[in-house]
Amino acid sequence: PDIALALDQDKIDGYVLDEPVARLMLAEHTDQYIAEYLQDASYGFIFQKDSGESAALRAQVDEFLAKIRADGTLAEIDSIWFGSDESLKTVDYESLTGENGTLKLAVSTDIGAPFVYRQGEGFIGYETDILTRFCREYGYALKIYDFNFAGMLAAVSAGKCDLGASCIEINAERAESMDFSAPDYAGGVVLVTKRDSDAEQIAVIAEEMAGKKVG
């Protein structure tokens, strides 16, 4: 919020941020917009590597993601969690039956909205919404454990949790120690500036940032 306010007040020319978070901020700062994508990225759920049980669960998650992407449900979930209607931002845990067991989900609410965050004593967000719908369809109950980001990765890698979620970028380095689902969101790192900013100035900022390590 501080950098968005600084841009509103013309203290800075622009800022670089993860696209999902930028989308949330732009809903409140309507004079700002995404001027450039500096780095593409995809995000997904993580699973323990080289585990038969994890591979079977991952196959189910991938199957479910393909289904909700094709039938428009994933787009509906996107519109809820990146939209401005707070009344729609709920996750239904009560209807989970659990006849096929309980999944342990590791999250990191340090990352925050919109993917996984706290509401009172519970958890809501884009990825928790996807997972509860998955659990409902496949007959699982769901137990969520909150860690710092490194702790979340470690809990899944060690098999203490069945899967993890919290805007986790799919990349080659992480893929060496864990398995990923198919992407549940595609975004990246973006340059945000004001709508009346000078086009040449935007191009200069984008070129400078593209030459640096971002993300």
Side-chain angles (χ1 to χ4, degrees):
D2 290 340
I3 58 174
L5 182 60
L7 181 56
D8 281 340
Q9 297 174 346
D10 295 319
K11 294 180 179 179
I12 57 176
D13 297 311
Y15 57 85
V16 173
L17 197 63
D18 286 327
E19 184 260 9
V21 182
R23 282 182 63 190
L24 280 185
M25 291 172 58
L26 296 183
E28 297 183 8
H29 299 268
T30 55
D31 285 341
Q32 301 178 18
Y33 79 110
I34 294 174
E36 294 280 349
Y37 273 75
L38 302 176
Q39 177 178 297
D40 293 330
S42 294
Y43 309 90
F45 301 103
I46 57 170
F47 302 82
Q48 185 182 29
K49 197 171 186 67
D50 299 326
S51 162
E53 289 185 3
S54 292
L57 177 61
R58 178 165 55 91
Q60 289 182 328
V61 170
D62 284 349
E63 178 182 62
F64 182 72
L65 288 172
K67 174 186 174 181
I68 63 174
R69 182 174 289 108
D71 69 13
T73 302
L74 192 60
E76 174 192 340
I77 295 171
D78 182 283
S79 69
I80 291 172
W81 297 101
F82 289 93
S84 58
D85 189 345
E86 294 298 318
S87 69
L88 298 177
K89 297 180 180 181
T90 61
V91 177
D92 178 16
Y93 295 99
E94 297 299 322
S95 62
L96 301 185
T97 55
E99 67 267 20
N100 290 324
T102 299
L103 295 183
K104 296 178 181 179
L105 171 64
V107 303
S108 178
T109 55
D110 292 346
I111 305 301
F115 283 81
V116 182
Y117 58 106
R118 283 189 176 272
Q119 184 182 70
E121 296 300 315
F123 299 89
I124 61 173
Y126 176 87
E127 287 180 322
T128 49
D129 193 349
I130 292 173
L131 252 296
T132 52
R133 294 175 192 240
F134 165 79
C135 288
R136 190 174 306 115
E137 181 155 327
Y138 285 80
Y140 294 110
L142 185 63
K143 179 75 173 178
I144 301 178
Y145 299 86
D146 194 7
F147 301 88
N148 62 34
F149 193 79
M152 172 189 63
L153 301 180
V156 176
S157 294
K160 294 180 179 179
C161 288
D162 299 300
L163 72 169
S166 282
C167 192
I168 306 172
E169 181 184 343
I170 300 171
N171 60 44
E173 181 180 355
R174 288 188 182 133
E176 293 178 359
S177 58
M178 63 193 67
D179 287 332
F180 282 94
S181 70
D184 63 54
Y185 187 88
V189 179
V190 296
L191 168 66
V192 177
T193 189
K194 295 180 78 170
R195 295 186 182 279
D196 60 357
S197 296
D198 180 82
E200 292 185 5
Q201 183 181 49
I202 294 172
V204 169
I205 296 172
E207 184 176 358
E208 289 178 350
M209 293 310 304
K212 300 177 181 179
K213 180 177 175 61
V214 296

